[in-house]
Amino acid sequence: MSKKTFLSRRRFVKTTGVFCASLAGAGALSACASEAAVEPAPEPKTQTDPEPASSPEAAPEPEATPETDSEPTTAGESVLVAYFSYPETTASSDPNNLTEEEENSAVVVDGQIKGNNEFMADIIARETGADTFRILTTRSYPTDHEGLIAQAQDEINAGDRPDLAETIPDLSQYDTVFIGYPIWWAELPPIMHSFLEQADLAGKQIYLFNSHGGSGNAGTKEEIQSILSDATVSDDNFVVSRDSVANSEQDLVDWVHGLGF
Ligand SMILES: Cc1cc2nc3c(=O)[nH]c(=O)nc-3n(C[C@H](O)[C@H](O)[C@H](O)COP(=O)(O)O)c2cc1C
């Protein structure tokens, strides 16, 4: 699947093998990283509106909410795949005719639209026999791309912790947890902080997977290890450009099998 440039407000410029992301305007964020390398620490963020959910742009838009799939399955024994994925599609998106922005964040499988990390989570769960937990927030996001990234920026700048929409399952039954997420503003999406701070992952073996538009893992491995100080976060993680997600299945399967599953 062809996935093109990122956002109209953001430019990813390839320079000597390094992708750089920059936000036009206030210069609030810039980030550069090699495809799979650890991201340098992002520049300090400017505090902005602390509660974007109350703005007209953030008015509830039910069709913007990704399909709910938060009930853990029962197939797995001791592995959980927990992931956040926010494809920029709506209930009316046509899987045969996605816009560029929709295509950037989604993969179509047998006519079904999946977010990039949802796509990867499903493959990992299939290969490991894991249960899955989709991390969802009660918060509504704008359906338009510009509104979404603006709200995400506000949440990140404010250190926001959106509410989880679903109760985290009993994690005592799992030894290994795969955690997946997109990169937002060269950071973890705020809902990931909510999850990581509430989940009791002490003693677990953690493997990370993420997709991005050019920022690599943006230092999120180190950040997650810092939050999950009592867990073991592997250095062997799956980091993939959104441009390659649709063609990543074999690499993903090889990675999972290489971990011993
Ligand atoms: C609000 C927002 C901010 C983003 N910021 C970045 C970024 O800073 N760097 C980057 O490489 N990609 C960024 N992206 C692109 C996503 O990481 C990428 O599209 C990802 O594959 C989406 O995965 P998902 O469909 O599972 O949500 C951003 C996307 C959104 C929606």
Side-chain angles (χ1 to χ4, degrees):
M1 172 171 296
S2 164
K3 294 194 175 182
K4 303 173 189 168
T5 53
F6 177 43
L7 318 166
S8 56
R9 291 177 62 195
R10 180 189 301 274
R11 293 185 215 114
F12 291 105
V13 182
K14 192 175 185 183
T15 56
T16 61
V18 176
F19 284 95
C20 301
S22 65
L23 181 73
L29 176 149
S30 67
C32 299
S34 61
E35 180 68 11
V38 172
E39 179 73 7
E43 292 177 2
K45 308 302 189 297
T46 304
Q47 293 291 316
T48 56
D49 298 339
E51 189 44 78
S54 64
S55 71
E57 258 193 345
E61 293 282 358
E63 65 274 27
T65 303
E67 294 172 18
T68 302
D69 181 27
S70 298
E71 288 301 312
T73 62
T74 54
E77 293 176 1
S78 63
V79 183
L80 178 70
V81 179
Y83 70 98
F84 174 62
S85 185
Y86 207 86
E88 294 185 61
T89 53
T90 66
S92 59
S93 295
D94 178 356
N96 297 312
N97 190 26
L98 296 180
T99 66
E100 180 176 325
E101 283 166 354
E102 289 173 330
E103 196 174 90
N104 276 338
S105 64
V107 179
V108 178
V109 181
D110 296 331
Q112 184 190 353
I113 300 171
K114 296 187 179 188
N116 285 340
N117 286 277
E118 178 185 11
F119 172 74
M120 294 192 287
D122 286 351
I123 293 168
I124 295 168
R126 183 191 71 204
E127 294 300 312
T128 60
D131 294 346
T132 60
F133 177 67
R134 185 166 187 169
I135 299 164
L136 296 170
T137 175
T138 54
R139 191 162 293 179
S140 296
Y141 286 91
T143 52
D144 69 289
H145 180 70
E146 297 296 325
L148 171 59
I149 62 167
Q151 181 170 326
Q153 181 187 31
D154 286 347
E155 288 185 359
I156 290 168
N157 288 346
D160 222 352
R161 298 291 185 266
D163 289 336
L164 294 167
E166 304 284 342
T167 303
I168 297 171
D170 174 12
L171 299 176
S172 65
Q173 58 192 309
Y174 303 109
D175 304 313
T176 299
V177 181
F178 288 82
I179 299 177
Y181 50 91
I183 298 298
W184 278 14
W185 287 89
E187 303 271 5
L188 289 169
I191 189 64
M192 289 302 300
H193 283 278
S194 304
F195 171 76
L196 293 165
E197 290 168 10
Q198 293 177 35
D200 182 3
L201 291 162
K204 311 295 183 192
Q205 175 65 56
I206 308 293
Y207 297 107
L208 306 178
F209 60 100
N210 79 266
S211 64
H212 60 89
S215 296
N217 76 5
T220 53
K221 185 267 171 182
E222 288 72 16
E223 188 171 11
I224 290 173
Q225 179 67 83
S226 166
I227 298 167
L228 303 180
S229 56
D230 295 331
T232 302
V233 182
S234 175
D235 287 327
D236 189 356
N237 301 306
F238 195 84
V239 180
V240 62
S241 164
R242 65 186 179 186
D243 296 333
S244 302
V245 171
N247 296 317
S248 68
E249 179 164 354
Q250 191 57 55
D251 287 344
L252 193 49
V253 168
D254 291 346
W255 174 64
V256 169
H257 291 179
L259 298 175
F261 293 94

